[in-house]
Short mmCIF file of all heavy atoms in Angstrom, two decimals:
data_model
loop_
_atom_site.label_atom_id
_atom_site.label_comp_id
_atom_site.label_asym_id
_atom_site.label_seq_id
_atom_site.Cartn_x
_atom_site.Cartn_y
_atom_site.Cartn_z
N VAL A 54 -79.44 -80.58 -10.72
CA VAL A 54 -79.04 -80.90 -9.36
C VAL A 54 -78.71 -79.61 -8.62
O VAL A 54 -77.80 -78.88 -9.03
CB VAL A 54 -77.81 -81.83 -9.34
CG1 VAL A 54 -77.47 -82.22 -7.91
CG2 VAL A 54 -78.05 -83.06 -10.19
N LYS A 55 -79.43 -79.31 -7.56
CA LYS A 55 -79.16 -78.14 -6.75
C LYS A 55 -78.34 -78.58 -5.53
O LYS A 55 -78.62 -79.60 -4.92
CB LYS A 55 -80.45 -77.49 -6.27
CG LYS A 55 -81.29 -76.88 -7.39
CD LYS A 55 -82.54 -76.22 -6.83
CE LYS A 55 -83.37 -75.59 -7.95
NZ LYS A 55 -84.59 -74.94 -7.41
N VAL A 56 -77.31 -77.80 -5.21
CA VAL A 56 -76.53 -78.03 -4.00
C VAL A 56 -76.78 -76.85 -3.07
O VAL A 56 -76.50 -75.70 -3.44
CB VAL A 56 -75.03 -78.18 -4.30
CG1 VAL A 56 -74.25 -78.37 -3.00
CG2 VAL A 56 -74.78 -79.35 -5.25
N LEU A 57 -77.34 -77.12 -1.90
CA LEU A 57 -77.71 -76.08 -0.96
C LEU A 57 -76.92 -76.20 0.34
O LEU A 57 -76.63 -77.30 0.80
CB LEU A 57 -79.21 -76.13 -0.65
CG LEU A 57 -80.13 -75.97 -1.87
CD1 LEU A 57 -80.74 -77.31 -2.23
CD2 LEU A 57 -81.19 -74.93 -1.63
N VAL A 58 -76.60 -75.04 0.93
CA VAL A 58 -75.87 -74.97 2.19
C VAL A 58 -76.77 -74.32 3.23
O VAL A 58 -77.31 -73.24 2.99
CB VAL A 58 -74.57 -74.17 2.04
CG1 VAL A 58 -73.85 -74.04 3.38
CG2 VAL A 58 -73.65 -74.81 1.00
N GLU A 59 -76.94 -74.99 4.38
CA GLU A 59 -77.84 -74.49 5.42
C GLU A 59 -77.13 -74.46 6.77
O GLU A 59 -76.23 -75.26 7.02
CB GLU A 59 -79.09 -75.38 5.49
CG GLU A 59 -79.88 -75.41 4.19
CD GLU A 59 -80.97 -76.46 4.18
OE1 GLU A 59 -80.88 -77.41 5.00
OE2 GLU A 59 -81.90 -76.35 3.36
N ASN A 60 -77.55 -73.54 7.65
CA ASN A 60 -77.01 -73.41 9.01
C ASN A 60 -75.50 -73.18 8.99
O ASN A 60 -74.76 -73.78 9.77
CB ASN A 60 -77.35 -74.65 9.85
CG ASN A 60 -78.82 -75.01 9.80
OD1 ASN A 60 -79.68 -74.14 9.89
ND2 ASN A 60 -79.11 -76.29 9.65
N ASN A 61 -75.06 -72.29 8.11
CA ASN A 61 -73.63 -72.02 7.97
C ASN A 61 -73.12 -71.15 9.12
O ASN A 61 -73.52 -70.00 9.25
CB ASN A 61 -73.38 -71.31 6.63
CG ASN A 61 -71.93 -70.94 6.41
OD1 ASN A 61 -71.05 -71.43 7.10
ND2 ASN A 61 -71.69 -70.05 5.46
N PRO A 62 -72.19 -71.67 9.94
CA PRO A 62 -71.65 -70.88 11.05
C PRO A 62 -70.56 -69.92 10.60
O PRO A 62 -70.09 -69.09 11.39
CB PRO A 62 -71.07 -71.97 11.97
CG PRO A 62 -70.60 -73.02 11.02
CD PRO A 62 -71.64 -73.04 9.91
N GLY A 63 -70.14 -70.05 9.34
CA GLY A 63 -69.04 -69.25 8.81
C GLY A 63 -68.03 -70.16 8.14
O GLY A 63 -67.32 -70.90 8.81
N LEU A 64 -67.99 -70.14 6.82
CA LEU A 64 -67.07 -71.01 6.10
C LEU A 64 -66.12 -70.20 5.21
O LEU A 64 -66.43 -69.08 4.82
CB LEU A 64 -67.82 -72.05 5.26
CG LEU A 64 -68.73 -71.59 4.10
CD1 LEU A 64 -67.95 -71.24 2.85
CD2 LEU A 64 -69.75 -72.66 3.77
N HIS A 65 -64.99 -70.80 4.91
CA HIS A 65 -64.02 -70.18 4.00
C HIS A 65 -64.08 -70.84 2.62
O HIS A 65 -63.96 -70.16 1.60
CB HIS A 65 -62.61 -70.32 4.57
CG HIS A 65 -61.55 -69.77 3.67
ND1 HIS A 65 -61.33 -68.42 3.50
CD2 HIS A 65 -60.65 -70.39 2.85
CE1 HIS A 65 -60.35 -68.23 2.64
NE2 HIS A 65 -59.92 -69.41 2.22
N SER A 66 -64.27 -72.16 2.59
CA SER A 66 -64.32 -72.85 1.31
C SER A 66 -65.15 -74.12 1.40
O SER A 66 -65.37 -74.67 2.49
CB SER A 66 -62.91 -73.21 0.82
OG SER A 66 -62.35 -74.25 1.61
N ILE A 67 -65.60 -74.57 0.25
CA ILE A 67 -66.30 -75.84 0.13
C ILE A 67 -65.89 -76.44 -1.21
O ILE A 67 -65.73 -75.71 -2.20
CB ILE A 67 -67.84 -75.66 0.21
CG1 ILE A 67 -68.55 -77.00 0.07
CG2 ILE A 67 -68.34 -74.66 -0.82
CD1 ILE A 67 -70.05 -76.93 0.35
N TYR A 68 -65.65 -77.74 -1.24
CA TYR A 68 -65.19 -78.35 -2.48
C TYR A 68 -65.63 -79.81 -2.55
O TYR A 68 -65.81 -80.47 -1.52
CB TYR A 68 -63.67 -78.25 -2.60
CG TYR A 68 -62.90 -78.86 -1.45
CD1 TYR A 68 -62.43 -80.17 -1.50
CD2 TYR A 68 -62.66 -78.11 -0.30
CE1 TYR A 68 -61.73 -80.72 -0.44
CE2 TYR A 68 -61.96 -78.65 0.75
CZ TYR A 68 -61.50 -79.95 0.69
OH TYR A 68 -60.82 -80.49 1.74
N PHE A 69 -65.78 -80.31 -3.76
CA PHE A 69 -66.13 -81.71 -3.97
C PHE A 69 -65.89 -82.11 -5.42
O PHE A 69 -65.72 -81.26 -6.29
CB PHE A 69 -67.59 -81.99 -3.59
CG PHE A 69 -68.59 -81.04 -4.19
CD1 PHE A 69 -69.02 -81.19 -5.51
CD2 PHE A 69 -69.10 -79.99 -3.45
CE1 PHE A 69 -69.94 -80.31 -6.07
CE2 PHE A 69 -70.03 -79.11 -4.00
CZ PHE A 69 -70.45 -79.27 -5.31
N ASP A 70 -65.84 -83.40 -5.64
CA ASP A 70 -65.68 -83.98 -6.97
C ASP A 70 -66.97 -84.71 -7.30
O ASP A 70 -67.39 -85.61 -6.59
CB ASP A 70 -64.48 -84.96 -6.96
CG ASP A 70 -64.25 -85.63 -8.30
OD1 ASP A 70 -65.12 -85.55 -9.17
OD2 ASP A 70 -63.19 -86.26 -8.46
N LEU A 71 -67.62 -84.30 -8.37
CA LEU A 71 -68.89 -84.88 -8.77
C LEU A 71 -68.66 -85.89 -9.89
O LEU A 71 -68.30 -85.52 -11.01
CB LEU A 71 -69.83 -83.76 -9.24
CG LEU A 71 -71.23 -84.16 -9.71
CD1 LEU A 71 -72.02 -84.75 -8.57
CD2 LEU A 71 -71.95 -82.94 -10.27
N ALA A 72 -68.83 -87.18 -9.58
CA ALA A 72 -68.62 -88.23 -10.57
C ALA A 72 -69.96 -88.80 -11.01
O ALA A 72 -70.89 -88.90 -10.21
CB ALA A 72 -67.75 -89.34 -9.99
N TYR A 73 -70.04 -89.18 -12.28
CA TYR A 73 -71.32 -89.69 -12.79
C TYR A 73 -71.09 -90.69 -13.92
O TYR A 73 -70.00 -90.76 -14.51
CB TYR A 73 -72.20 -88.53 -13.28
CG TYR A 73 -71.55 -87.66 -14.31
CD1 TYR A 73 -71.79 -87.84 -15.67
CD2 TYR A 73 -70.66 -86.64 -13.95
CE1 TYR A 73 -71.18 -87.05 -16.63
CE2 TYR A 73 -70.05 -85.84 -14.89
CZ TYR A 73 -70.30 -86.05 -16.23
OH TYR A 73 -69.69 -85.27 -17.17
N ASP A 74 -72.11 -91.46 -14.24
CA ASP A 74 -72.04 -92.50 -15.26
C ASP A 74 -72.35 -91.88 -16.63
O ASP A 74 -73.50 -91.56 -16.93
CB ASP A 74 -73.04 -93.61 -14.93
CG ASP A 74 -72.90 -94.81 -15.85
OD1 ASP A 74 -72.35 -94.66 -16.96
OD2 ASP A 74 -73.36 -95.89 -15.47
N GLY A 75 -71.33 -91.73 -17.47
CA GLY A 75 -71.51 -91.10 -18.76
C GLY A 75 -72.28 -91.92 -19.77
O GLY A 75 -72.62 -91.41 -20.84
N SER A 76 -72.57 -93.17 -19.45
CA SER A 76 -73.37 -93.98 -20.37
C SER A 76 -74.84 -93.60 -20.32
O SER A 76 -75.61 -93.93 -21.22
CB SER A 76 -73.22 -95.47 -20.06
OG SER A 76 -73.79 -95.78 -18.79
N VAL A 77 -75.23 -92.87 -19.26
CA VAL A 77 -76.63 -92.46 -19.09
C VAL A 77 -76.76 -90.94 -19.00
O VAL A 77 -77.69 -90.35 -19.54
CB VAL A 77 -77.25 -93.11 -17.84
CG1 VAL A 77 -78.68 -92.62 -17.60
CG2 VAL A 77 -77.24 -94.62 -17.97
N LEU A 78 -75.80 -90.29 -18.33
CA LEU A 78 -75.85 -88.85 -18.12
C LEU A 78 -74.66 -88.16 -18.76
O LEU A 78 -73.54 -88.68 -18.74
CB LEU A 78 -75.87 -88.52 -16.62
CG LEU A 78 -77.05 -89.06 -15.81
CD1 LEU A 78 -76.81 -88.79 -14.33
CD2 LEU A 78 -78.35 -88.44 -16.27
N SER A 79 -74.90 -86.98 -19.31
CA SER A 79 -73.83 -86.17 -19.90
C SER A 79 -73.89 -84.77 -19.28
O SER A 79 -74.95 -84.15 -19.26
CB SER A 79 -74.01 -86.08 -21.42
OG SER A 79 -73.06 -85.19 -21.99
N PHE A 80 -72.75 -84.29 -18.78
CA PHE A 80 -72.73 -82.95 -18.17
C PHE A 80 -73.09 -81.90 -19.22
O PHE A 80 -72.56 -81.90 -20.33
CB PHE A 80 -71.34 -82.64 -17.60
CG PHE A 80 -71.21 -81.23 -17.09
CD1 PHE A 80 -71.89 -80.82 -15.96
CD2 PHE A 80 -70.42 -80.31 -17.77
CE1 PHE A 80 -71.79 -79.51 -15.50
CE2 PHE A 80 -70.30 -79.00 -17.31
CZ PHE A 80 -70.99 -78.61 -16.18
N ASP A 81 -74.01 -81.01 -18.83
CA ASP A 81 -74.48 -79.98 -19.76
C ASP A 81 -73.96 -78.59 -19.38
O ASP A 81 -73.34 -77.92 -20.19
CB ASP A 81 -76.01 -79.98 -19.78
CG ASP A 81 -76.57 -78.98 -20.77
OD1 ASP A 81 -76.70 -79.31 -21.95
OD2 ASP A 81 -76.87 -77.84 -20.34
#
Side-chain angles (χ1 to χ4, degrees):
V54 184
K55 294 181 179 180
V56 178
L57 301 106
V58 177
E59 300 170 340
N60 309 317
N61 178 15
L64 63 79
H65 177 75
S66 71
I67 179 171
Y68 57 95
F69 50 80
D70 179 347
L71 180 65
Y73 56 98
D74 187 339
S76 66
V77 177
L78 299 173
S79 175
F80 174 69
D81 182 85

